[in-house]
Amino acid sequence: MEKERIAFLQELLHTPSPSSMEMEIQKKWLKYVEPFVDEIRSDHAGNVIAVKNEEADFHLLLAGHSDEVAFVVNRMDDNGFVFVDKMGGINPKSAIGMKVEILGQDKQVPGVIGVNAQHHGGIKGDFEVEDLFIDCGAKDKSEMEQDIQIGDLVVYRRQSEVLKNRYVSGRGLDNRTGAFIVAEVMRRLADKDISIGVYGVSTVNEETNLGGAYFAAAGLKPDAALALDVTFATDYPSVDKRKHGDIRLDGGPVLAKGAPINRKLNQLLEKSAEKLGVEVQYELTPRHTGTDADKMRLTGKGVPISLVSLPLRYMHSPVETASIKDIEEEISLLIEMITNMTGKESLNPLDD
């Protein structure tokens, strides 16, 4: 992948975008994609929608969410220490000793998450998010209240890195990688003549309520939709593959199989992968996917959905890690599928 594209991915990763506060990253996504599409829109949820070939009879929605997990300020004590709750499924055990930024109304306030010294007993095995506290250097509560307020969001102060020119690692790859993939698909479709309409959407609020995806699909009324997200890689020490399956970085994009997934859409993806010589992996989603796909599926008259995921190590931690090769192969897979669709495909599972 070209350095320019990796630089854009890292720009997204370095932009704080906790669920409910995605405005800045959405503006950057919009600016990047706008030259390559017919139209750019936004909606009241905060989604950004890139439109290509809307006059077509058949429309496919690609959704990658731009929000990341975070903490949210819920109180300050008299000594100026800040206590937090979760905004999404962030792992409190990954937070010990980390640098953070509190996203105040007027400025970003640096701080550190305190840790009990080993000499004083160290970290206890069982603790919850309410046991965490942030030290911003304030002398007391009144000084802290000059900069922040209850409800302000907190992200790790963590820059991304490229490891061995192979993997990208950082905060919030879940799912700024998905938003990046949507942007790249729309960019690479710019000079292609396609038979279907495509809505590329950078969605919001996936980590907390999936509301952005609902707004997008309800408003656009697509004929089919693909959620582009991440899934749990199991190729590192301590993971039980017997329980969680075998998903590897560099193993290719991951397709879901389960009750919510439209089999015809999966067949189109598999056929495209075979034509490209791209290896795909599989995960099971027996009842629901836990992604934007679930809400898109239940809008309007019902939307056939599938889920294409990027293998990700260390989910919801400050060091999430994904393969650049897998990202590139997912982009190629989606473009191959879209450019070969006629718009006449039946997604009814009963049709031969």
Side-chain angles (χ1 to χ4, degrees):
M1 187 180 295
E2 307 101 311
K3 290 183 179 179
E4 181 182 356
R5 308 308 162 199
I6 293 176
F8 175 59
L9 172 58
Q10 291 188 292
E11 182 181 3
L12 296 180
L13 294 175
H14 298 161
T15 305
S17 61
S19 194
S20 80
M21 196 177 180
E22 302 96 341
M23 294 77 76
E24 287 304 312
I25 200 169
Q26 292 291 64
K27 291 174 184 177
K28 292 180 179 181
W29 194 91
L30 184 157
K31 183 178 179 181
Y32 181 84
V33 175
E34 189 170 21
F36 309 115
V37 297
D38 300 333
E39 183 185 355
I40 284 279
R41 305 173 190 160
S42 60
D43 62 23
H44 289 147
N47 298 310
V48 178
I49 302 157
V51 182
K52 181 174 175 62
N53 200 28
E54 190 172 31
E55 64 276 10
D57 293 330
F58 184 100
H59 299 94
L60 176 68
L61 192 162
L62 305 177
H65 73 85
S66 64
D67 61 315
E68 60 176 314
V69 294
F71 296 107
V72 56
V73 174
N74 70 2
R75 69 182 179 93
M76 290 163 268
D77 71 10
D78 291 340
N79 295 315
F81 293 104
V82 179
F83 294 81
V84 296
D85 203 341
K86 295 180 181 182
M87 181 65 81
I90 196 165
N91 180 2
K93 292 187 177 181
S94 298
I96 296 297
M98 290 296 296
K99 300 176 182 178
V100 295
E101 284 182 337
I102 303 176
L103 308 177
Q105 296 298 306
D106 301 314
K107 59 182 174 180
Q108 297 182 354
V109 181
V112 296
I113 294 182
V115 54
N116 196 23
Q118 195 66 30
H119 307 73
H120 293 170
I123 303 168
K124 302 304 179 185
D126 294 324
F127 65 93
E128 301 296 335
V129 66
E130 55 264 26
D131 298 314
L132 298 176
F133 63 88
I134 300 172
D135 185 349
C136 296
K139 291 184 178 181
D140 53 35
K141 183 177 182 179
S142 62
E143 183 179 1
M144 201 67 248
E145 287 178 329
Q146 295 174 22
D147 296 326
I148 69 168
Q149 59 185 329
I150 304 304
D152 284 347
L153 296 162
V154 184
V155 296
Y156 295 119
R157 260 192 306 150
R158 170 79 168 90
Q159 297 295 295
S160 67
E161 288 130 2
V162 176
L163 308 176
K164 292 289 188 181
N165 294 317
R166 181 180 296 123
Y167 300 151
V168 60
S169 179
R171 180 197 88 233
L173 274 74
D174 177 12
N175 183 38
R176 274 85 70 85
T177 52
F180 169 78
I181 289 169
V182 174
E184 275 301 286
V185 169
M186 301 308 290
R187 183 184 72 84
R188 298 187 199 187
L189 286 175
D191 59 356
K192 296 185 183 299
D193 185 18
I194 61 175
S195 299
I196 66 169
V198 181
Y199 298 117
V201 187
S202 179
T203 61
V204 298
N205 289 187
E206 192 273 352
E207 295 292 354
T208 50
N209 56 58
L210 307 176
Y214 183 86
F215 268 74
L220 294 169
K221 299 179 175 62
D223 297 286
L226 299 179
L228 311 181
D229 212 308
V230 295
T231 194
F232 300 94
T234 61
D235 60 347
Y236 58 92
S238 78
V239 180
D240 186 351
K241 291 184 174 63
R242 294 173 302 174
K243 181 178 181 181
H244 300 293
D246 187 6
I247 302 291
R248 297 167 287 113
L249 266 62
D250 291 334
V254 182
L255 304 185
K257 288 189 174 184
I261 303 300
N262 182 273
R263 289 175 178 265
K264 291 294 190 73
L265 271 177
N266 263 15
Q267 288 168 7
L268 291 173
L269 289 162
E270 289 168 331
K271 181 178 178 182
S272 298
E274 182 178 1
K275 185 174 180 180
L276 290 173
V278 168
E279 183 182 1
V280 295
Q281 306 179 83
Y282 293 96
E283 65 174 334
L284 300 181
T285 58
R287 299 180 64 185
H288 53 80
T289 72
T291 72
D292 279 344
D294 295 333
K295 287 292 186 181
M296 295 190 295
R297 179 172 178 257
L298 299 179
T299 60
K301 62 183 180 181
V303 178
I305 59 96
S306 189
L307 169 63
V308 186
S309 296
L310 188 69
L312 187 73
R313 292 176 182 166
Y314 325 128
M315 184 86 72
H316 288 185
S317 80
V319 293
E320 292 179 337
T321 301
S323 161
I324 295 170
K325 173 177 175 287
D326 290 336
I327 294 173
E328 184 63 44
E329 288 184 346
E330 184 172 331
I331 294 167
S332 298
L333 172 62
L334 294 166
I335 290 179
E336 178 69 19
M337 173 182 157
I338 290 167
T339 54
N340 283 283
M341 289 183 71
T342 65
K344 305 297 183 182
E345 291 84 1
S346 171
L347 299 181
N348 185 330
L350 299 181
D351 289 344
D352 294 329

